[in-house]
Amino acid sequence: QVHLVESGGGVVQAGGSLRLSCVASGDTFSNYATAWCRQAPGKEREFIAAISWSGISTRYVDSVKGRFTISKNSANNTVYLQMNNLKPEDTAVYYCAVPPRSHVFVTSAGGYKYWGQGTQVTVSS
């Protein structure tokens, strides 16, 4: 069982930056991959980035490549999402998520079992 808490969302103008944090508690976080997903109003939840349990491997969807960076600090059980050059279409609730098993690297939202409560990101034009 993994418990996740996101923070760092807010309102920012287009071109601005935000850093999201996801703090995990419960099972051994260092054995789990972690993803960031987002859900805009009226749309399905979308996978945007993931980092492996070791922190060595990362994946991004094309729409955020070069703008977003996912990183991990296993010492404090935290995964970050640095978001630069934000666009209005990035507006959504952002969630961190962990898959049902350790040492599994998943690149779709449907493969994740444990979710945080989400943090709202709003980008104004």
Side-chain angles (χ1 to χ4, degrees):
Q1 186 78 21
V2 179
H3 182 61
L4 306 168
V5 178
E6 304 96 335
S7 63
V11 180
V12 64
Q13 288 189 331
S17 298
L18 284 173
R19 189 176 80 155
L20 306 183
S21 299
C22 172
V23 179
S25 61
D27 208 339
T28 308
F29 187 56
S30 60
N31 291 332
Y32 287 83
T34 307
W36 284 97
C37 301
R38 66 187 179 188
Q39 188 166 21
K43 295 187 177 181
E44 293 186 354
R45 194 167 294 188
E46 172 193 24
F47 166 89
I48 57 171
I51 189 165
S52 64
W53 51 93
S54 64
I56 293 175
S57 298
T58 57
R59 294 289 188 276
Y60 300 92
V61 294
D62 288 344
S63 60
V64 307
K65 280 182 182 176
R67 300 189 298 124
F68 291 10
T69 303
I70 189 170
S71 62
K72 181 174 185 176
N73 185 336
S74 293
N76 61 13
N77 283 352
T78 304
V79 170
Y80 303 96
L81 185 68
Q82 177 66 44
M83 305 186 295
N84 298 329
N85 190 22
L86 283 160
K87 304 175 180 180
E89 52 264 42
D90 294 319
T91 295
V93 178
Y94 284 69
Y95 300 89
C96 64
V98 168
R101 298 184 305 278
S102 64
H103 302 100
V104 172
F105 195 44
V106 183
T107 57
S108 66
Y112 287 83
K113 178 178 181 180
Y114 301 104
W115 296 85
Q117 83 289 350
T119 185
Q120 176 70 46
V121 172
T122 302
V123 184
S124 60
S125 57

